[in-house]
Amino acid sequence: MADEEAGAIPDWRDPSAGGGLVRAASWLMELGENKVFTKRDLREAFPDIAQIDRRVRDLRDYGWVINTSREDSELAQNEQRFVKRGVAVWDPKQRRNTARTEANPGAAASDSSRSEAGDLAAQIAKLTATERTRLLAWIAMGDRPRTAVEEIWDLYAGLPVTQRQDLTRELARQVDQDSTSALNTAQAT
């Protein structure tokens, strides 16, 4: 649908333009398709919105294509690429219509999506019991929670080189201390 039909894209800087989802979509539109950004860029643009990266992930439910290093090998782990716009989420009518379609995904399933689901089922069958249990939990939550280590990595990767070097030395010191402590404990038993 043309932007004229969907209404003008709101200014992402305006807190009254909508919630995090709408403002994130507007920010991405200004950034432009096929452009790379980081979580740090998002946090700097939206210091007032907690979990802005989650709002960006939510855009995928509306057909927005936003790749991570898992889908795009050219990206660093802390980078994402805005590939393609989906539904104009700033238009309440389009958002509602999409929500209804999502509520009954089987009605709109194509032969290719059924084939992809079959391929996915085959991959799931190859997982270990532990991996299948973890996947089922993520599906039940509707999200794949990131570990503390992944969150720290993203923050680390966004730092200037000198600060990363300082943190690397401190981490190495702590790992060495942990190893020494574990060795002393093992020798004492």
Side-chain angles (χ1 to χ4, degrees):
M1 182 177 283
D3 284 334
E4 298 80 41
E5 297 173 32
I9 299 170
D11 184 350
W12 61 268
R13 294 168 201 84
D14 180 2
S16 67
L21 185 80
V22 170
R23 291 179 62 204
S26 301
W27 182 81
L28 287 171
M29 291 299 292
E30 185 173 303
L31 179 70
E33 290 186 354
N34 292 311
K35 297 290 192 283
V36 174
F37 64 96
T38 65
K39 284 187 181 185
R40 183 179 187 181
D41 296 331
L42 285 170
R43 285 199 251 355
E44 288 175 359
F46 300 100
D48 59 321
I49 300 177
Q51 298 186 339
I52 187 64
D53 53 317
R54 184 179 297 259
R55 301 295 75 84
V56 170
R57 283 195 307 269
D58 291 345
L59 286 167
R60 292 179 177 134
D61 294 339
Y62 294 92
W64 291 63
V65 181
I66 301 160
N67 289 345
T68 66
S69 60
R70 287 182 218 134
E71 297 91 14
D72 185 339
S73 61
E74 293 180 11
L75 295 173
Q77 189 171 1
N78 68 321
E79 294 178 325
Q80 297 179 61
R81 184 185 313 276
F82 170 41
V83 178
K84 185 179 174 198
R85 175 192 136 172
V87 170
V89 295
W90 49 87
D91 178 348
K93 183 177 179 182
Q94 283 196 38
R95 237 168 116 173
R96 268 192 311 277
N97 289 342
T98 301
R100 269 190 240 124
T101 302
E102 293 297 318
N104 187 6
S110 67
D111 289 337
S112 66
S113 66
R114 285 188 196 109
S115 171
E116 290 172 10
D119 293 342
L120 192 54
Q123 291 178 30
I124 290 170
K126 294 176 185 176
L127 297 175
T128 66
T130 302
E131 291 169 329
R132 282 194 295 269
T133 301
R134 183 179 313 132
L135 178 60
L136 184 59
W138 293 346
I139 291 169
M141 288 187 292
D143 190 25
R144 177 190 166 266
R146 295 174 49 81
T147 66
V149 173
E150 289 171 318
E151 294 291 340
I152 291 169
W153 167 257
D154 287 344
L155 294 170
Y156 168 85
L159 291 174
V161 172
T162 55
Q163 290 179 349
R164 287 197 314 253
Q165 290 169 341
D166 292 343
L167 280 171
T168 301
R169 282 190 289 274
E170 174 59 20
L171 177 59
R173 186 193 65 73
Q174 290 178 15
V175 168
D176 184 53
Q177 187 177 24
D178 293 342
S179 298
T180 301
S181 178
L183 181 63
N184 290 340
T185 301
Q187 289 175 347
T189 55

